Amino acid sequence: MLQTVDVDIAPLSEYAALMSPERLAALEDLAAALRGLRVAHVSATPYGGGVSELLRSVVPLYRGLGLHAVWHVIPGDERFFAVTKGFHNALQGAPYQLTAAARETYLMYNTHNAQLMEGDYDAVFIHDPQPLALRAFVEGGGAVWIWRCHIDTSEPNAAVLEFLTPFAESYDAVVFTLESFIPRAWRHLPVTAMPPGIDPLSPKNMPLPPEVAQRIVRWLGVDPHRPILTQVSRFDPWKDPLGVIGVYRAVRERVPGLQLALLGSMALDDPEGWDLYHTIVDECRGDPDIHVATNITGVSNIEVNAFQSCSDVVIQKSIREGFGLVVSETLWKGTPVVAGNTGGIPLQMPPGTGGFLVDDPAEYERRIHDLLTDRDLARDLAERGQRHVQEHFLVTRLVEDELRLLHRLVAGHTTAQHPA
Ligand code: UDP
């Protein structure tokens, strides 16, 4: 059997105060129509990165809404995840040589994992490329299958896209974060777009009393009474952590006492992370005001929450980005962001909202300096960012979008519904 991740049952009533009456009613109506539906979400890792963050909140809400929802994780080892990380990078436009050995590894693991998939479902969501081919190897069943792609596939490597095309074609729906991420060669598929959202009640995003947040920041060696610049990201070249260090050094010349916190999680399906982590640690040696911390050294949701809450500015120096949940997480806490103008980030930060979108290193320095020295500007932008997140990027909006899609697919399908 595939591993099942234990999750909560989250009643919608807990979110009601954060939703408009119209959205609340719409979600309740959809849930009533889908009550008892058996839904599986399948992903590659139970922790580290945006997909696991999302599922940890989405699945409990489905359950709170009366659907039978489970979250399964596929097994894999370094060999498999080295291939799938290569696919991930290639789909985001990195140079990549697709070899016969990589195809074989990918297919072998997917064939094996398909055999582990037990249980009867009415709908199956497969997340990202790692388990995409499962659908082709799972026999029987009357489920609708949805592939949820979380990465920016607007300029993909042609060979990898072509290899994955028959698998994508086997789905009843293919969901991207943005319309612009849909590869031209896949326009014939049943595609749709919906951005993700954050859970305002999770340990990562719930309100923390300021003294608690400061204590946690201190616990990780950072002085909450001096300015803090933070990036929270997997150690991934697309997030440019070395570039962040360069920006920090330049800003610090003008803002003495500035500290940099780099919080990075090591995901099971991201074998590149350790190499980059060691490079970063070497690069920071000798500067006691750069703090590098990971889930291995005690950074979990509450610590991320504390840093996103206590930082003066959060930087997200993404070169390519799917959505960038960290941006909404930070804005939700009323902290301004300076971020790469790429992928789903501009959606979260329209002009005059949340902070600044940036294209080059000199602009990062200038904008971070502006926010560190003009506190009124920082507060106004952050407040607008917080309102924008509440309106557009909470998990309740995502669940509404997903249930609407399920409703459409299941209505056109022969699957019987099951009473709760
Ligand atoms: N994250 C975390 N600890 C870390 C680094 C990242 O919990 O040390 C979380 C972060 O808070 C966010 C997710 O991992 O919820 C990253 O999602 P995002 O969409 O920003 O990027 P992805 O990793 O999916 O590319």
Side-chain angles (χ1 to χ4, degrees), residues 47-54 88 92 128 150-151 196 198 204-205 231-236 238-239 262-267 270 293-295 299-301 304-305 308 316 318 320-327 329 333 348:
Y47 65 87
V51 176
S52 46
E53 185 71 25
L54 278 175
H88 173 112
Q92 290 211 138
D128 271 347
H150 294 270
I151 55 186
I198 63 157
K204 180 165 291 163
N205 298 313
Q231 176 158 297
V232 177
S233 277
R234 285 178 300 107
F235 292 125
D236 179 328
W238 298 104
K239 318 277 186 184
L262 288 172
L263 306 190
S265 54
M266 300 297 177
D270 187 0
T294 73
N295 48 330
V299 175
S300 190
N301 292 316
V304 171
N305 188 339
Q308 288 172 336
Q316 186 55 40
S318 300
R320 273 290 172 101
E321 189 56 78
F323 181 69
L325 280 174
V326 283
V327 172
E329 289 167 3
K333 290 151 192 133
Q348 301 172 72

Side-chain angles (χ1 to χ4, degrees), residues 206-230:
M206 66 190 188
L208 277 186
E211 63 281 7
V212 174
Q214 291 190 4
R215 175 172 288 274
I216 294 170
V217 163
R218 272 209 322 266
W219 180 72
L220 280 157
V222 177
D223 179 355
H225 302 297
R226 280 161 52 200
I228 307 171
L229 174 68
T230 297

